[in-house]
Amino acid sequence: MSQPVADAEVRYVSSATTNKSSLRRVMAGTAAGQFVEWYDYGIYGFLTVPIAANFFASDDTSGLISTFAVFAVTFVFRPFGGIVGGFFADRFGRRKVLIASLMTMSLATAAAGLLPTAATIGIAAPLLLVLLRVVQGLSAGGELGSVMSFAGEHAPWNRRAFIVSFAQIGSFSSLLTGSVIGLLLTEVLSKQQLHGWGWRIPFFVALPLGIVGLYIRRKVEESPAYREISEAGEVASQPVREALTSRVGRRAILVCATLSLLNSSGYYVLTSYMPSYLQKSLHFDPTASFGTTAVGILALLCTVPLTSRWSDRIGRKPVLLTSSIATCVVVYPCFLLVDHRGALSIAGMAIMFVCFAMYTSVIQCVLVELFPTRIRVTAYSIGYNISTAIFGGAAPLFLTYFIDVTGDSRVPAYYIIATAIGTLLTTLTIPETAKKKLQR
């Protein structure tokens, strides 16, 4: 293997996938895989209340805090999964890691539906749930950097944000599916049935979804950018060491972590945490909670393709800045609208999701463009997963706690605004990365 490229020397890959049918397979493969990977995060958020009742024998605040603590466990292990997955993706190729992570997540999610409850085996029930969350965290940590790099390395320079955004569409589609399943279950089943056995159904759905996603991913070839450095003998033999010891790598990891702040709050507060927040803090019934969140996600899915194409035309920074500023301005008033329920509640939720959609349609592409191909997945995974572990996975736990302590239901709004300011300040410091070839 070659020696690491000097910090001062910047070279670029020359290849990308231009065949339309191949690009469609890449977009389908990344979207389908992300759908399966993040399906678990969606249904866990929508099933927080019955999970608390079954594994912690309480669906009040203490039970919810314990349930969100288990949710946070996943994020503790994501950086470790990112390091391991990043090493193998940078050393041996992205495609192999994507197949392995998808299989692992599907099996672990389906297994959660088979777990006995605390009423049956006592303390062993939440411990087994924690074990599965550890496995899912390792899988998710290795998945994200790999799949975004994979999509970005296939994409031509003038369509990169649009093509990478399909991975985001897949992940948010899974959250919408979780909302719909949650809504159907609350409509069809009584509370006793949902808490008794109905909560297991969404977890079992992960297995057939995983089989479909695996079939699609096996049809996609390795990325041209990775093949190019592999054929040139420039694959990093120690990508973790190179990412952490080079000045360029360390700075890019820090930028990655701070740019990802809004992603952490937007993704996990607006989606995974919001259904529980609406039910417990604002006393929405389950149907209204799931329905309101589902409308917000649908608004996001309609916005992402438009703003990603906008980014390919005018640049990444204008879109990131617009989203961050808009989020700071509208989030608090939107939380006030959500309090009113009905049409006003839906409007408030949709506005927040549209503002976040501008950001999420671009951020993953920007992170792909930050790093050279030889250490891209490793460095991307380290920066992104550490940020997400601290500011995303732990957010539902801390927000539930602080709402209980302060009695202020607007705590989530303050948190989202704070992370938007962090992303805004970082965006001002970075160069424009659009319309350029990827670093070699």
Side-chain angles (χ1 to χ4, degrees):
M1 298 297 168
S2 66
Q3 295 298 314
V5 177
D7 284 341
E9 181 182 358
V10 179
R11 297 180 300 149
Y12 299 92
V13 296
S14 59
S15 57
T17 300
T18 55
N19 182 275
K20 290 184 178 180
S21 62
S22 296
L23 281 175
R24 284 194 291 267
R25 286 197 297 272
V26 169
M27 294 160 72
T30 54
Q34 283 285 279
F35 185 99
V36 177
E37 281 285 339
W38 303 109
Y39 172 77
D40 168 78
Y41 286 80
I43 59 175
Y44 192 95
F46 293 117
L47 296 173
T48 298
V49 176
I51 289 173
N54 278 281
F55 289 90
F56 299 99
S58 172
D59 59 0
D60 60 12
T61 299
S62 63
L64 289 177
I65 289 176
S66 298
T67 305
F68 284 130
V70 173
F71 182 77
V73 166
T74 307
F75 295 84
V76 173
F77 286 87
R78 278 181 61 166
F80 299 102
I83 290 172
V84 174
F87 173 84
F88 282 100
D90 285 331
R91 186 75 170 78
F92 302 107
R94 287 58 163 127
R95 184 174 174 272
K96 295 176 182 177
V97 173
L98 293 177
I99 291 173
S101 64
L102 183 60
M103 291 174 61
T104 303
M105 179 63 86
S106 301
L107 292 173
T109 302
L114 297 171
L115 290 179
T117 65
T120 304
I121 61 172
I123 190 64
L127 291 178
L128 287 173
L129 182 62
V130 168
L131 178 62
L132 289 178
R133 298 302 298 176
V134 169
V135 173
Q136 290 166 323
L138 294 171
S139 171
E143 159 79 12
L144 191 81
S146 299
V147 75
M148 298 302 177
S149 298
F150 184 77
E153 290 168 0
H154 271 282
W157 63 268
N158 60 340
R159 299 182 62 201
R160 192 178 296 132
F162 178 68
I163 289 171
V164 173
S165 74
F166 272 77
Q168 293 294 79
I169 289 172
S171 65
F172 282 100
S173 295
S174 72
L175 296 177
L176 179 61
T177 301
S179 297
V180 172
I181 290 176
L183 184 61
L184 290 175
L185 289 176
T186 57
E187 287 292 320
V188 173
L189 303 179
S190 66
K191 180 178 178 180
Q192 183 178 7
Q193 290 172 323
L194 180 62
H195 284 216
W197 52 267
W199 64 272
R200 299 181 183 274
I201 295 174
F203 289 102
F204 294 146
V205 173
L207 199 55
L209 290 177
I211 293 173
V212 173
L214 185 62
Y215 173 80
I216 296 173
R217 279 196 171 174
R218 289 176 65 89
K219 297 290 185 180
V220 183
E221 297 180 351
E222 184 57 80
S223 81
Y226 182 81
R227 289 201 309 268
E228 183 174 322
I229 66 166
S230 178
E231 292 167 0
E234 296 179 3
V235 172
S237 59
Q238 296 294 332
V240 179
R241 179 187 301 174
E242 187 173 330
L244 295 176
T245 57
S246 67
R247 179 179 58 83
V248 170
R250 289 196 303 270
R251 182 185 183 280
I253 288 172
L254 179 61
V255 170
C256 173
T258 51
L259 273 180
S260 301
L261 288 173
L262 182 53
N263 186 79
S264 298
S265 66
Y267 198 106
Y268 298 102
V269 174
L270 289 180
T271 56
S272 295
Y273 175 68
M274 191 57 71
S276 173
Y277 167 79
L278 294 176
Q279 291 179 57
K280 290 302 177 181
S281 296
L282 302 184
H283 308 293
F284 278 44
D285 62 69
T287 300
S289 169
F290 291 133
T292 303
T293 307
V295 171
I297 298 174
L298 186 60
L300 177 144
L301 289 172
C302 293
T303 306
V304 164
L306 301 176
T307 52
S308 62
R309 290 177 69 88
W310 182 37
S311 168
D312 281 329
R313 291 192 181 97
I314 69 169
R316 318 296 186 220
K317 291 185 67 172
V319 180
L320 288 176
L321 292 172
T322 300
S323 175
S324 299
I325 294 170
T327 298
C328 291
V329 171
V330 308
V331 163
Y332 188 83
C334 284
F335 266 80
L336 297 179
L337 288 176
V338 169
D339 277 355
H340 289 80
R341 309 194 181 197
L344 289 177
S345 177
I346 292 172
M349 190 72 75
I351 292 169
M352 286 192 289
F353 269 93
V354 167
C355 290
F356 179 62
M358 288 189 285
Y359 169 84
T360 200
S361 68
V362 174
I363 182 60
Q364 305 298 349
C365 183
V366 174
L367 300 184
V368 168
E369 294 166 340
L370 279 177
F371 303 103
T373 301
R374 56 185 286 121
I375 59 168
R376 177 170 293 120
V377 181
T378 300
Y380 185 135
S381 298
I382 291 173
Y384 183 88
N385 284 312
I386 289 176
S387 178
T388 303
I390 297 172
F391 298 100
L397 171 64
F398 291 127
L399 295 179
T400 301
Y401 172 77
F402 282 115
I403 289 174
D404 185 54
V405 170
T406 65
D408 187 352
S409 63
R410 308 288 186 271
V411 169
Y414 309 145
Y415 184 70
I416 294 173
I417 291 170
T419 56
I421 292 173
T423 292
L424 171 63
L425 295 176
T426 303
T427 302
L428 293 172
T429 69
I430 63 173
E432 179 59 66
T433 59
K435 301 181 181 181
K436 296 178 181 178
K437 293 182 178 180
L438 297 176
Q439 297 177 55
R440 196 179 178 101

